[in-house]
Amino acid sequence: MFKFKPVFKKRKYITLKNAVDKIENKEEVAPNIPGGMWIKCNTCGNIMYKKDLEDNAKVCTSCGKYYRMNAKERIELVIDTGTFREIDRDLKTVNPLDFPQYEDKVAKSKEETGLEEGFVAGYGKIYGKDVVIGVMDSNFMMGSMGSVVGEKITRAIEKATEERLPVIIFTASGGARMQEGMYSLMQMAKTSAVVGRHSEAGLLYIPIITDPTTGGVTASFAMLGDIILSEPGTIIGFAGRRVIEQTIRQKLPEDFQKAEFLLEHGFLDKIVERKELKKTLYKIVDMH
Ligand SMILES: [Zn+2]
């Protein structure tokens, strides 16, 4: 079957992104918010003014579906206004394996996201409490973990260990960055080791696993928290569902790899509503 792409680029009328048409193949519908002033929820069909959705922490005002947030929005969600100070912004990604078109992909992601890499870290305050916060941005090459992402995570945690601060990291990742091959895989060991040292120093580390977190990130620092939080409906896994089904030749449960399923099976400590997240983090940090 042929599928035609629209010829007209500029529309003069208000557009409604209707993801319901594509819902048959659910996995291909990324719940990002498209351009335009209005948005139709791809779960319940509710039509919202885009600003209302953004004011509601990107949660559908009708059915409560969670839309993805970028790094900047995450920081704004939990960090006191004006207290965020970014660290290690200037680390540059190189192409260690001379992987074809890798530089182009990185350049494109930089342009689209306004970020230097798929991880942003810095100091900030949560209701006046000092923390080190890091956020992966799934819009930057699917939040994949290359050498620079791994290095930035490591440095952020090392700084927190030195200054005896708690670390909070939002994860969102497609896994290791294939364009960096073995260098990407080594980041799993490196980030895990630094989390270990932070813990040995008696300090707190809270990962918040957001949609989607998979692959080498799940298999390293995302799952090594003292208290592991997540959001409703988040997909968390290592290998993809289809790969597992084909390998074990069995049908997996419907809610497999969903945060609720993982909570029930002891992989998560709590699923926290977005609106409650800042308060929850404050309580944990304060208790510690
Ligand atoms: Zn909805």
Side-chain angles (χ1 to χ4, degrees), residues 40-46 48 59-65 67:
K40 183 169 181 175
C41 177
N42 61 14
T43 301
C44 71
N46 176 36
M48 293 166 275
V59 177
C60 173
T61 50
S62 172
C63 72
K65 180 191 167 74
Y67 285 85

Side-chain angles (χ1 to χ4, degrees), residues 32 54 57-58 67-71 73-74 77 135-139 231 274:
N32 276 320
E54 269 153 21
K58 285 196 168 175
Y67 285 85
R68 288 178 190 167
M69 297 180 106
N70 62 31
E73 291 163 337
R74 287 280 176 200
L77 182 73
V135 187
M136 300 185 93
D137 195 317
S138 64
N139 299 306
E231 291 186 325
R274 223 170 246 174

Side-chain angles (χ1 to χ4, degrees), residues 93-259:
T93 294
V94 292
N95 188 357
L97 304 180
D98 283 322
F99 197 93
Q101 285 136 33
Y102 181 34
E103 282 107 339
D104 300 343
K105 281 204 169 132
V106 172
K108 191 165 167 260
S109 276
K110 277 190 189 181
E111 201 186 302
E112 282 169 1
T113 59
L115 300 173
E116 285 299 304
E117 249 298 346
F119 183 75
V120 180
Y123 297 98
K125 289 179 192 288
I126 297 178
Y127 296 123
K129 294 253 175 228
D130 285 306
V131 297
V132 167
I133 182 163
V135 187
M136 300 185 93
D137 195 317
S138 64
N139 299 306
F140 197 105
M141 291 192 74
M142 293 170 69
S144 55
M145 178 164 64
S147 316
V148 167
V149 170
E151 180 66 21
K152 284 177 93 170
I153 293 167
T154 305
R155 289 190 189 188
I157 299 172
E158 277 176 345
K159 285 196 170 82
T161 313
E162 258 167 51
E163 297 176 37
R164 303 200 59 81
L165 294 173
V167 180
I168 293 161
I169 294 182
F170 285 94
T171 70
S173 180
R177 189 172 293 175
M178 66 159 196
Q179 290 87 346
E180 290 188 28
M182 193 48 141
Y183 291 97
S184 284
L185 296 180
M186 280 153 59
Q187 308 311 314
M188 293 168 64
K190 189 165 84 178
T191 53
S192 301
V194 80
V195 166
R197 278 205 292 269
H198 190 71
S199 172
E200 276 160 26
L203 299 166
L204 180 67
Y205 164 48
I206 310 167
I208 303 151
I209 304 179
T210 69
D211 190 59
T213 295
T214 61
V217 169
T218 309
S220 61
F221 66 94
M223 282 291 170
L224 294 172
D226 299 300
I227 294 173
I228 306 175
L229 305 179
S230 189
E231 291 186 325
T234 300
I235 289 183
I236 307 164
F238 182 66
R241 181 191 186 97
R242 263 174 292 187
V243 175
I244 302 172
E245 282 183 337
Q246 279 159 18
T247 309
I248 64 172
R249 291 166 198 277
Q250 275 178 46
K251 197 98 184 79
L252 293 163
E254 198 49 50
D255 58 351
F256 182 71
Q257 292 185 329
K258 280 276 166 72

